[in-house]
């Protein structure tokens, strides 16, 4: 067996050695895990994973390579990836690059050969924590000193948001939507285009005046990384625009809507990341199988005294998965309906947004 050349060192002092792939560089971030069986390309290119080292619970990663049309963003910002077994010879007629080549191109380190079952149990029991990916020869004491001396960044939304507005148009469009980019996934834009929406994507710090200058029929709040309280400009924009435009939020957008109404959010022990989370729609009683990726959640108790009401709950832990304020045509979900793991359990949410814009226009 060839000697290990790379390892991760966790904040709790545990280390896991293995074999490196992708970029040969050190990286400090937050370690989390994802239980999806497929979709590693969508995961690596999801801006919500900015600065996070993702442990994949499915044991074989890389076997179908990557394809140009499957990215969720142009420039991946994931912190790193840890896998049990990495396959560098993909079998897929669509693939254009191997996973390692993509990681190397974007400066992302990877680690294989790790007992991911043991590692995930540790994260589940002790919670997410800081992690250093480094060379296997780095002394443990030195690695822990680096971890203690390096705080996790808090400006992720500012870093992943677009710098200038851009457009995604569709033929014979019916509605114009402004999407605030906190780390938006491309497939959300595709879904809005499919529903007949021209989409104008604006930076997270776009002013209300800049948003209204596009004369939109609705406002969309995107997913994104980190603590939602760091997205101050978006929270303020929602405060000023609710009741003036239909508003739909996903993931971070869901949390931002809650904060704009005075509710609170909290950081979860290890978050939700995977494609199989059961969520109950409280209005219909139906169970949706959802795709999720978040570290923070809305505190249901803090909704008391606000005009928001709970529309969906997570059946695994009872966390808030959906909110609505019908009187102001505002609603949101914590999960990702555009990811369609159900496969189409949650597609109706985009239709709901369309209906709200139709009602707003007629009113």
């Amino acid at each position: 067996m060839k000697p290990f050349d790379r390892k991760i060192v966790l904040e709790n002092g545990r280390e896991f050695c293995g074999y490196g792939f992708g970029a040969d560089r050190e990286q400090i971030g937050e370690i989390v895990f994802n239980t999806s069986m497929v979709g590693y390309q969508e995961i690596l290119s999801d801006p919500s994973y900015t600065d996070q080292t993702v442990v994949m619970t499915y044991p074989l990663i890389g076997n179908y390579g990557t394809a140009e049309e499957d990215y969720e963003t142009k420039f991946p910002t994931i912190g790193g990836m840890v896998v049990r077994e990495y396959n560098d010879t993909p079998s897929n007629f669509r693939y254009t690059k191997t996973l390692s080549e993509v990681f190397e191109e974007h400066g992302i380190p990877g680690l294989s050969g790790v007992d991911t079952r043991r590692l995930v149990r540790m994260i589940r029991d002790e919670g997410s924590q800081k992690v250093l990916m480094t060379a296997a020869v780095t002394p443990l004491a030195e690695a822990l000193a680096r971890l203690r001396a390096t705080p996790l960044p808090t400006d992720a939304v500012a870093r992943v948001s677009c710098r200038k507005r851009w457009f995604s148009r569709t033929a014979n469009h019916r509605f114009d939507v402004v999407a605030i980019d906190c780390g938006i996934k491309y497939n959300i834009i595709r879904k809005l285009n499919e529903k007949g929406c021209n989409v104008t994507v604006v930076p997270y710090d776009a002013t209300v005046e800049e948003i209204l200058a596009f004369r939109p029929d609705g406002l969309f709040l995107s997913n994104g990384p980190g603590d939602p309280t760091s997205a101050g400009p978006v929270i303020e924009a929602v405060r000023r625009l609710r009741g003036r435009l239909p508003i739909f939020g996903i993931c971070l957008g869901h949390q931002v809507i809650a904060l704009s109404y005075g509710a609170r959010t909290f950081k979860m022990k290890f978050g939700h990341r995977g494609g199989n989370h059961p969520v109950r729609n409280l209005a219909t009683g139906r169970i949706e199988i959802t795709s999720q990726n978040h570290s923070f959640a809305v505190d249901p108790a803090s909704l008391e005294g606000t005009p928001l009401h709970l529309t969906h709950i997570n059946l695994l832990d009872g966390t808030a998965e959906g909110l609505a304020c019908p009187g102001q045509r505002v609603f949101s979900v914590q999960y990702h309906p555009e990811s369609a793991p159900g496969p189409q359990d949650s597609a109706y949410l985009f239709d709901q947004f369309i209906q709200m814009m139709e009602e707003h226009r007629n009113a």
Side-chain angles (χ1 to χ4, degrees), residues 226-239:
D227 188 338
T229 59
S230 67
V234 191
I235 298 170
E236 180 58 28
V238 176
R239 283 197 186 106

Side-chain angles (χ1 to χ4, degrees), residues 18-64:
Y19 306 101
F21 64 94
D24 184 13
R25 60 183 290 264
E26 285 198 345
Q27 174 72 25
I28 291 179
E30 180 184 34
I31 193 165
V32 298
F33 65 86
N34 189 297
T35 58
S36 299
M37 296 177 67
V38 295
Y40 57 77
Q41 182 176 353
E42 289 81 357
I43 290 167
L44 79 90
S45 59
D46 181 350
S48 296
Y49 285 109
T50 299
D51 301 326
Q52 292 180 331
T53 296
V54 182
V55 183
M56 300 298 296
T57 62
Y58 189 73
L60 179 59
I61 301 296
N63 51 307
Y64 55 84

Side-chain angles (χ1 to χ4, degrees), residues 203-226:
Y204 84 105
D205 56 356
T207 66
V208 167
E209 292 71 26
E210 289 169 339
I211 292 170
L212 292 177
F214 294 105
R215 302 184 69 181
D217 297 297
L219 179 67
F220 177 80
L221 310 175
S222 85
N223 61 292

Side-chain angles (χ1 to χ4, degrees), residues 5-254:
D5 59 3
R6 189 177 292 173
K7 68 179 178 181
I8 55 170
V9 178
L10 280 70
E11 199 172 4
N12 64 5
R14 302 296 296 274
E15 56 183 355
F16 293 79
C17 296
Y19 306 101
F21 64 94
D24 184 13
R25 60 183 290 264
E26 285 198 345
Q27 174 72 25
I28 291 179
E30 180 184 34
I31 193 165
V32 298
F33 65 86
N34 189 297
T35 58
S36 299
M37 296 177 67
V38 295
Y40 57 77
Q41 182 176 353
E42 289 81 357
I43 290 167
L44 79 90
S45 59
D46 181 350
S48 296
Y49 285 109
T50 299
D51 301 326
Q52 292 180 331
T53 296
V54 182
V55 183
M56 300 298 296
T57 62
Y58 189 73
L60 179 59
I61 301 296
N63 51 307
Y64 55 84
T66 63
E68 292 303 315
E69 57 266 41
D70 292 345
Y71 286 103
E72 292 290 0
T73 190
K74 189 178 295 184
F75 302 107
T77 51
I78 188 174
M81 188 173 284
V82 179
V83 305
R84 175 65 183 133
E85 181 181 348
Y86 171 67
N87 185 328
D88 204 42
T89 54
S91 177
N92 175 11
F93 74 96
R94 294 177 64 246
Y95 102 90
T96 53
K97 293 177 183 176
T98 67
L99 180 60
S100 184
E101 288 169 338
V102 172
F103 274 18
E104 189 173 356
E105 179 180 352
H106 294 285
I108 302 167
L111 179 67
S112 68
V114 169
D115 184 351
T116 50
R117 294 175 300 178
R118 184 181 180 189
L119 179 55
V120 167
R121 283 197 298 269
M122 183 182 300
I123 300 169
R124 182 194 63 192
D125 294 341
E126 300 181 22
S128 300
Q129 54 193 283
K130 284 195 290 186
V131 65
L132 167 67
M133 190 175 293
T134 184
V137 296
T138 303
L140 178 59
E142 182 180 327
L144 290 173
R146 290 182 202 171
L147 282 172
R148 286 192 294 268
T150 307
L152 292 176
T154 58
D155 61 343
V157 169
R159 283 185 283 125
V160 300
S161 179
C162 60
R163 300 292 180 266
K164 298 283 187 180
R165 60 100 179 96
W166 59 280
F167 305 103
S168 180
R169 297 187 174 94
T170 187
N172 304 314
H173 84 284
R174 297 171 54 210
F175 300 99
D176 292 286
V177 172
V178 167
I180 298 182
D181 179 12
C182 299
I184 196 167
K185 294 169 65 177
Y186 285 166
N187 206 39
I188 292 173
I189 300 171
R190 296 186 198 109
K191 292 297 182 184
L192 289 169
N193 288 157
E194 288 173 9
K195 297 296 181 181
C197 300
N198 276 352
V199 181
T200 303
V201 184
V202 299
Y204 84 105
D205 56 356
T207 66
V208 167
E209 292 71 26
E210 289 169 339
I211 292 170
L212 292 177
F214 294 105
R215 302 184 69 181
D217 297 297
L219 179 67
F220 177 80
L221 310 175
S222 85
N223 61 292
D227 188 338
T229 59
S230 67
V234 191
I235 298 170
E236 180 58 28
V238 176
R239 283 197 186 106
R240 294 180 58 190
L241 288 172
R242 65 193 190 204
R244 301 171 68 181
L245 289 172
I247 301 177
F248 177 25
I250 287 178
C251 200
L252 184 79
H254 160 83

Side-chain angles (χ1 to χ4, degrees), residues 325-339:
C325 179
Q328 295 186 320
R329 295 193 176 95
V330 176
F331 76 109
S332 64
V333 289
Q334 180 63 76
Y335 53 94
H336 285 267
E338 84 288 346
S339 293

